[in-house]
CSV table of all heavy atoms in Angstrom, one decimal:
chain,number,residue,atom,x,y,z
N,236,LYS,N,-8.3,-54.0,140.3
N,236,LYS,CA,-7.8,-55.1,139.4
N,236,LYS,C,-7.0,-56.0,140.2
N,236,LYS,O,-6.4,-55.7,141.2
N,236,LYS,CB,-6.9,-54.4,138.3
N,236,LYS,CG,-7.7,-53.7,137.3
N,236,LYS,CD,-6.9,-53.4,136.1
N,236,LYS,CE,-7.4,-52.1,135.4
N,236,LYS,NZ,-6.5,-51.7,134.4
N,237,ASN,N,-6.8,-57.2,139.7
N,237,ASN,CA,-5.9,-58.2,140.2
N,237,ASN,C,-6.2,-58.5,141.7
N,237,ASN,O,-5.4,-58.4,142.6
N,237,ASN,CB,-4.5,-57.6,140.2
N,237,ASN,CG,-3.6,-58.7,139.6
N,237,ASN,OD1,-3.9,-59.9,139.7
N,237,ASN,ND2,-2.5,-58.3,139.1
N,238,ILE,N,-7.5,-58.8,142.0
N,238,ILE,CA,-7.8,-59.0,143.4
N,238,ILE,C,-7.5,-60.4,143.7
N,238,ILE,O,-7.6,-61.3,142.9
N,238,ILE,CB,-9.3,-58.7,143.7
N,238,ILE,CG1,-10.2,-59.6,142.8
N,238,ILE,CG2,-9.6,-57.3,143.4
N,238,ILE,CD1,-11.7,-59.4,143.1
N,239,ASP,N,-7.1,-60.6,145.0
N,239,ASP,CA,-6.7,-62.0,145.4
N,239,ASP,C,-8.0,-62.7,145.9
N,239,ASP,O,-9.0,-62.2,146.0
N,239,ASP,CB,-5.6,-62.0,146.4
N,239,ASP,CG,-6.0,-61.2,147.7
N,239,ASP,OD1,-7.2,-60.8,147.8
N,239,ASP,OD2,-5.2,-60.9,148.5
N,240,ASP,N,-7.7,-64.0,146.3
N,240,ASP,CA,-8.9,-64.8,146.7
N,240,ASP,C,-9.6,-64.2,147.9
N,240,ASP,O,-10.8,-64.3,148.0
N,240,ASP,CB,-8.4,-66.2,147.0
N,240,ASP,CG,-7.9,-66.9,145.8
N,240,ASP,OD1,-8.2,-66.5,144.7
N,240,ASP,OD2,-7.2,-67.9,146.0
N,241,LYS,N,-8.8,-63.7,148.8
N,241,LYS,CA,-9.4,-63.2,150.0
N,241,LYS,C,-10.4,-62.0,149.7
N,241,LYS,O,-11.5,-62.0,150.2
N,241,LYS,CB,-8.3,-62.7,150.9
N,241,LYS,CG,-8.8,-62.7,152.4
N,241,LYS,CD,-7.6,-62.4,153.3
N,241,LYS,CE,-7.6,-61.0,153.8
N,241,LYS,NZ,-6.6,-60.6,154.7
N,242,MET,N,-9.9,-61.1,148.8
N,242,MET,CA,-10.7,-60.0,148.5
N,242,MET,C,-12.0,-60.4,147.7
N,242,MET,O,-13.1,-59.9,147.9
N,242,MET,CB,-9.9,-59.0,147.6
N,242,MET,CG,-10.3,-57.6,147.7
N,242,MET,SD,-9.0,-56.5,147.3
N,242,MET,CE,-9.6,-55.7,145.9
N,243,MET,N,-11.8,-61.4,146.9
N,243,MET,CA,-12.9,-61.9,146.1
N,243,MET,C,-14.0,-62.5,147.0
N,243,MET,O,-15.2,-62.3,146.8
N,243,MET,CB,-12.5,-62.9,145.1
N,243,MET,CG,-13.6,-63.3,144.1
N,243,MET,SD,-13.0,-63.4,142.4
N,243,MET,CE,-12.2,-64.9,142.4
N,244,ALA,N,-13.5,-63.2,148.1
N,244,ALA,CA,-14.4,-63.9,149.0
N,244,ALA,C,-15.2,-62.8,149.8
N,244,ALA,O,-16.4,-62.9,149.9
N,244,ALA,CB,-13.6,-64.7,150.0
N,245,ARG,N,-14.5,-61.7,150.1
N,245,ARG,CA,-15.2,-60.7,150.9
N,245,ARG,C,-16.2,-60.0,150.0
N,245,ARG,O,-17.3,-59.6,150.4
N,245,ARG,CB,-14.1,-59.6,151.4
N,245,ARG,CG,-13.4,-60.1,152.6
N,245,ARG,CD,-12.8,-59.0,153.3
N,245,ARG,NE,-13.9,-58.3,154.1
N,245,ARG,CZ,-13.6,-57.4,155.0
N,245,ARG,NH1,-12.4,-57.0,155.2
N,245,ARG,NH2,-14.6,-56.8,155.7
N,246,TRP,N,-15.8,-59.8,148.7
N,246,TRP,CA,-16.7,-59.2,147.8
N,246,TRP,C,-18.0,-60.0,147.7
N,246,TRP,O,-19.1,-59.5,147.7
N,246,TRP,CB,-16.0,-59.0,146.4
N,246,TRP,CG,-16.9,-58.3,145.5
N,246,TRP,CD1,-16.9,-57.0,145.2
N,246,TRP,CD2,-17.8,-58.9,144.6
N,246,TRP,NE1,-17.8,-56.6,144.3
N,246,TRP,CE2,-18.4,-57.8,143.8
N,246,TRP,CE3,-18.3,-60.1,144.3
N,246,TRP,CZ2,-19.4,-58.0,142.9
N,246,TRP,CZ3,-19.3,-60.3,143.3
N,246,TRP,CH2,-19.8,-59.3,142.6
N,247,ALA,N,-17.8,-61.3,147.5
N,247,ALA,CA,-18.9,-62.2,147.4
N,247,ALA,C,-19.8,-62.2,148.6
N,247,ALA,O,-21.0,-62.2,148.5
N,247,ALA,CB,-18.4,-63.6,147.1
N,248,ASP,N,-19.2,-62.1,149.8
N,248,ASP,CA,-20.0,-62.0,151.0
N,248,ASP,C,-20.8,-60.7,151.1
N,248,ASP,O,-21.9,-60.7,151.5
N,248,ASP,CB,-19.0,-62.1,152.2
N,248,ASP,CG,-18.8,-63.5,152.7
N,248,ASP,OD1,-19.6,-64.3,152.3
N,248,ASP,OD2,-17.9,-63.7,153.4
N,249,THR,N,-20.1,-59.6,150.8
N,249,THR,CA,-20.7,-58.4,151.2
N,249,THR,C,-21.4,-57.6,150.0
N,249,THR,O,-22.2,-56.8,150.2
N,249,THR,CB,-19.7,-57.4,151.8
N,249,THR,OG1,-18.6,-57.3,150.8
N,249,THR,CG2,-19.1,-58.0,153.1
N,250,CYS,N,-20.9,-57.8,148.8
N,250,CYS,CA,-21.3,-57.0,147.7
N,250,CYS,C,-22.2,-57.7,146.7
N,250,CYS,O,-22.6,-57.0,145.7
N,250,CYS,CB,-20.1,-56.4,147.0
N,250,CYS,SG,-19.1,-55.3,148.1
N,251,SER,N,-22.5,-58.9,146.9
N,251,SER,CA,-23.1,-59.6,145.8
N,251,SER,C,-24.6,-59.1,145.6
N,251,SER,O,-25.2,-59.3,144.5
N,251,SER,CB,-23.1,-61.1,146.0
N,251,SER,OG,-23.7,-61.4,147.3
N,252,GLY,N,-25.1,-58.4,146.6
N,252,GLY,CA,-26.4,-57.9,146.4
N,252,GLY,C,-26.5,-56.5,145.8
N,252,GLY,O,-27.5,-56.0,145.4
N,253,LEU,N,-25.3,-55.9,145.6
N,253,LEU,CA,-25.3,-54.6,145.0
N,253,LEU,C,-25.5,-54.7,143.5
N,253,LEU,O,-25.1,-55.6,142.9
N,253,LEU,CB,-23.9,-53.9,145.2
N,253,LEU,CG,-23.6,-53.4,146.6
N,253,LEU,CD1,-22.2,-52.9,146.7
N,253,LEU,CD2,-24.6,-52.4,147.1
N,254,ALA,N,-26.3,-53.7,143.0
N,254,ALA,CA,-26.5,-53.6,141.6
N,254,ALA,C,-25.3,-53.0,140.9
N,254,ALA,O,-24.6,-52.3,141.5
N,254,ALA,CB,-27.8,-52.8,141.3
N,255,ALA,N,-25.2,-53.2,139.7
N,255,ALA,CA,-24.3,-52.5,138.8
N,255,ALA,C,-22.8,-52.9,139.0
N,255,ALA,O,-21.9,-52.3,138.5
N,255,ALA,CB,-24.4,-51.0,138.9
N,256,THR,N,-22.6,-54.0,139.7
N,256,THR,CA,-21.2,-54.4,139.9
N,256,THR,C,-21.1,-55.9,139.8
N,256,THR,O,-22.0,-56.6,140.2
N,256,THR,CB,-20.6,-53.9,141.2
N,256,THR,OG1,-19.4,-54.5,141.5
N,256,THR,CG2,-21.5,-54.1,142.4
N,257,ASP,N,-19.9,-56.3,139.3
N,257,ASP,CA,-19.7,-57.8,139.2
N,257,ASP,C,-18.3,-58.0,139.0
N,257,ASP,O,-17.5,-57.1,138.9
N,257,ASP,CB,-20.5,-58.2,137.9
N,257,ASP,CG,-20.9,-59.7,138.0
N,257,ASP,OD1,-20.4,-60.4,138.9
N,257,ASP,OD2,-21.7,-60.1,137.2
Side-chain angles (χ1 to χ4, degrees):
Chain N
K236 290 196 205 171
N237 227 337
I238 59 176
D239 58 11
D240 292 341
K241 202 169 108 182
M242 208 155 116
M243 188 138 77
R245 284 203 76 174
W246 185 90
D248 267 345
T249 56
C250 297
S251 52
L253 285 178
T256 168
D257 208 346

